[in-house]
Amino acid sequence: MTTIAIASLLPTRLNANGDAENAAVLAVRARWRGHDASVIAANAPTELPEDVHAIVVGSCDDPSLAATLGALLPFRARLIAAVEAGVPIVAVANGWKLLTERVEMTRGEWVEGLGIVSGESPLRERRSSDDLVVDVLPDGQLPAGTRLVGYENHARDFTPGVGVAPLGRTVHGRGNGNGSEGAIVGAFIGTHLHGPVLAKNPVLADHVLAQALVLAGGAHDGAQVSDARLDALDAYAAHARDQIVASLSH
């Protein structure tokens, strides 16, 4: 049994689309495989444990964007240290955008983000609200051919900087605005996929969980142990993804 600590940053502020619950998804998948997993609601850097094995950053609505940026800034040093230590981080929509270098708050008004991810987040002409289907690229961290499904609801695109790879290419939806979706830097994943993304896409959840378990000293295949409850959940998620993709072809 491996013991892991999963931190959810500002879970009350950063849960506009249920994305803070990605932490609960990781914890349940770990526990049902026989591991010990705790979820820590971190509302200040002092509430982050010294040994944290995964971090979830959910999303906020646009009216609270400036206040949320102020609340996230004290976490900057800890987030940089986590990235350098290889801690898997899943950041969604506005929570992710606030971790970039620059964010366009209103037309022509830019503010500095936390600079955890190289790139910037410009405003779109119109908000993008639609199903989002993404195929993982062959050179990505996930198995080639992996299809991710979720819902996007964002007013900003993402322009990647140096060293930032996309999570995949968009099959349906806007994504980053350039035919790609998301951002990967080491163990950091940024995405527009709501759902929560880890509940709808178990392959991605287990990819993050495997990194967390290895970081905690566990086996590299600790996220692959079979469990009947997970099998049932994963079949349900697969059916939901298939239904979404099928509806888009009509």
Side-chain angles (χ1 to χ4, degrees):
M1 180 180 72
T2 304
T3 299
I4 61 172
I6 304 160
S8 180
L9 300 195
L10 306 174
T12 302
R13 284 182 178 270
L14 290 168
N15 201 22
N17 295 279
D19 301 303
E21 303 312 318
N22 283 311
V25 173
L26 288 174
V28 167
R29 297 187 75 83
R31 291 168 188 154
W32 285 1
R33 288 189 166 108
H35 305 291
D36 182 19
S38 59
V39 175
I40 299 95
N43 291 293
T46 54
E47 296 176 355
L48 271 176
E50 285 301 316
D51 292 323
V52 64
H53 306 109
I55 297 174
V56 167
V57 185
S59 186
C60 66
D61 57 22
D62 282 2
S64 63
L65 200 62
T68 304
L69 174 59
L72 274 174
L73 279 171
F75 287 93
R76 185 173 186 273
R78 289 297 306 274
L79 286 171
I80 290 173
V83 169
E84 292 175 346
V87 176
I89 299 174
V90 178
V92 182
N94 274 343
W96 160 36
K97 301 302 177 62
L98 292 174
L99 304 184
T100 64
E101 293 172 308
R102 292 203 313 157
V103 183
E104 191 174 15
M105 303 293 277
T106 59
R107 190 65 59 195
E109 178 200 357
W110 292 80
V111 299
E112 289 188 10
L114 270 66
I116 307 301
V117 180
S118 178
E120 60 184 26
S121 306
L123 273 170
R124 301 194 61 242
E125 290 298 324
R126 293 193 310 168
R127 172 174 292 274
S128 182
S129 298
D130 196 0
D131 289 306
L132 179 58
V133 180
V134 179
D135 279 352
V136 171
L137 297 174
D139 56 351
Q141 298 181 13
L142 293 168
T146 300
R147 174 160 286 186
L148 306 175
V149 170
Y151 192 85
E152 61 180 347
N153 181 17
H154 59 99
R156 291 167 185 82
D157 289 333
F158 173 66
T159 305
V162 176
V164 179
L167 177 61
R169 67 174 183 87
T170 53
V171 176
H172 180 87
R174 175 77 180 183
N176 293 342
N178 61 0
S180 72
E181 158 56 15
I184 295 180
V185 182
F188 178 97
I189 296 175
T191 182
H192 296 102
L193 289 162
H194 298 295
V197 60
L198 298 186
K200 279 189 174 178
N201 301 279
V203 171
L204 183 59
D206 285 346
H207 169 74
V208 175
L209 180 57
Q211 292 176 307
L213 290 170
V214 169
L215 195 65
H220 71 281
D221 58 353
Q224 301 302 321
V225 178
S226 179
D227 180 273
R229 294 166 294 184
L230 287 176
D231 291 343
L233 275 182
D234 293 356
Y236 184 83
H239 178 71
R241 291 196 307 276
D242 290 344
Q243 290 298 306
I244 290 171
V245 172
S247 71
L248 299 176
S249 64
H250 296 303

